[in-house]
Amino acid sequence: MKQRIITGVIAAALFLPIVIFGGFPFIIVTYILATIGLFELLRMKRLRVFSKEGIIGFLLLWGLLIPKAYTNWLESFNITKIELLVVAVLLLLIYTVVTKNAFTFEEAGFICLSILYVGFGFYYFMETRFIGLAYMVYALFTIWATDTGAYFIGRTWGKRKLWPEISPNKTVEGSIGGIVCAVVVAIIYQLCTNLFDSFALLIVMTIVLSIFGQLGDLVESAFKRYYGVKDSGNILPGHGGILDRFDSLLFILPILHFFINAAL
């Protein structure tokens, strides 16, 4: 626990100023985090990171992460970022033929799905910050309140297992408690910031985000259980890997972005 707290304090001291500052330093840090996240997934699958397929995978990820504000140059070539990504996916599929199935279709599919999972999550991590720091803080508060509420309420009153095959310690009571805590924190945050125009929208959005945040946590747990690893990585002593810390955010930020666009 001591190591976990020390790591958390150091990580927060390094990371939060960059989130607050935003801009190009934030983009660089996001690229680094996403790259480590994909590295962790490839290692879970025991795929070679420093290989032709690994390089194509990282190029795909970096292309997907290009912020919307920096894609105008593509218009001069009359192409879109998605079209470039499709070409890269085709290269991965062609590589299965070149290697005579030493690199399989299943492995190509795993890399593509991993890129979408990590890439879209961290892409909207950047886009949400660009819309406004207050929205990023709301997302972080929602996740922290959900995790904290689920942990303490689950330990105190939890009896019914939520999904024992995937995460044996999570309970239905803890899950509901996490949602309630997230709503309470969101209401307090709204009263302090007046971020959203509608309390009804705020409550519905917070409930949805809290649920999907928990699902993101369960998805990461399912990955680790399937591939027989305790943590996605060991870059954060006491916490595991990047995906262990960002699993919930990767799920809720695309949804939050859609909510914000609908509200603005």
Side-chain angles (χ1 to χ4, degrees):
M1 179 60 73
K2 182 179 178 181
Q3 185 183 52
R4 185 181 180 90
I5 294 173
I6 293 173
T7 301
V9 170
I10 294 174
L14 295 173
F15 182 65
L16 289 180
I18 297 174
V19 174
I20 294 170
F21 182 80
F24 201 66
F26 181 72
I27 294 175
I28 293 174
V29 169
T30 302
Y31 263 77
I32 293 172
L33 293 174
T35 300
I36 296 172
L38 181 57
F39 173 86
E40 291 174 352
L41 282 171
L42 295 180
R43 193 173 62 174
M44 280 191 211
K45 179 69 173 171
R46 293 180 174 84
L47 290 173
R48 293 177 302 156
V49 175
F50 301 104
S51 61
K52 293 182 179 65
E53 60 269 24
I55 292 171
I56 294 173
F58 284 111
L59 290 175
L60 259 170
L61 174 68
W62 297 335
L64 183 59
L65 285 172
I66 298 174
K68 185 178 180 180
Y70 293 88
T71 56
N72 293 334
W73 61 274
L74 290 173
E75 295 177 3
S76 60
F77 297 97
N78 200 29
I79 57 176
T80 66
K81 184 170 69 172
I82 297 300
E83 288 169 340
L84 288 177
L85 295 176
V86 169
V87 172
V89 170
L90 294 178
L91 290 176
L92 270 178
L93 295 178
I94 291 171
Y95 191 57
T96 65
V97 177
V98 173
T99 63
K100 299 178 182 179
N101 274 335
F103 174 66
T104 67
F105 182 82
E106 178 189 356
E107 291 169 336
F110 178 88
I111 291 176
C112 290
L113 192 57
S114 297
I115 291 164
L116 293 177
Y117 167 50
V118 174
F120 273 115
F122 279 110
Y123 171 78
Y124 285 110
F125 186 60
M126 287 187 289
E127 292 298 324
T128 302
R129 174 61 187 87
F130 295 155
I131 293 174
L133 177 60
Y135 295 103
M136 180 64 73
V137 174
Y138 163 73
L140 292 173
F141 278 173
T142 299
I143 292 301
W144 293 339
T146 299
D147 289 347
T148 303
Y151 177 77
F152 285 105
I153 293 175
R155 286 198 62 177
T156 305
W157 292 293
K159 293 182 179 179
R160 291 171 291 181
K161 297 296 183 181
L162 179 65
W163 215 310
E165 298 85 359
I166 301 298
S167 188
N169 295 326
K170 287 182 171 57
T171 63
V172 173
E173 293 82 2
S175 176
I176 295 172
I179 296 171
V180 172
C181 286
V183 170
V184 171
V185 170
I187 290 174
I188 296 172
Y189 186 67
Q190 171 69 7
L191 292 173
C192 294
T193 63
N194 197 29
L195 184 61
F196 299 100
D197 294 331
S198 167
F199 261 99
L201 171 65
L202 173 75
I203 292 172
V204 170
M205 180 170 57
T206 303
I207 292 172
V208 172
L209 294 180
S210 181
I211 291 172
F212 272 86
Q214 294 183 60
L215 288 172
D217 187 18
L218 287 170
V219 166
E220 181 63 19
S221 295
F223 285 162
K224 293 185 290 187
R225 186 168 291 273
Y226 182 79
Y227 290 110
V229 297
K230 182 179 182 296
D231 296 312
S232 66
N234 54 15
I235 194 171
L236 299 171
H239 290 263
I242 293 300
L243 293 180
D244 291 313
R245 292 300 90 205
F246 285 83
D247 49 7
S248 296
L249 275 175
L250 293 180
F251 261 57
I252 76 164
L253 287 173
I255 299 170
L256 174 60
H257 194 267
F258 298 148
F259 270 115
I260 292 172
N261 283 342
L264 293 178

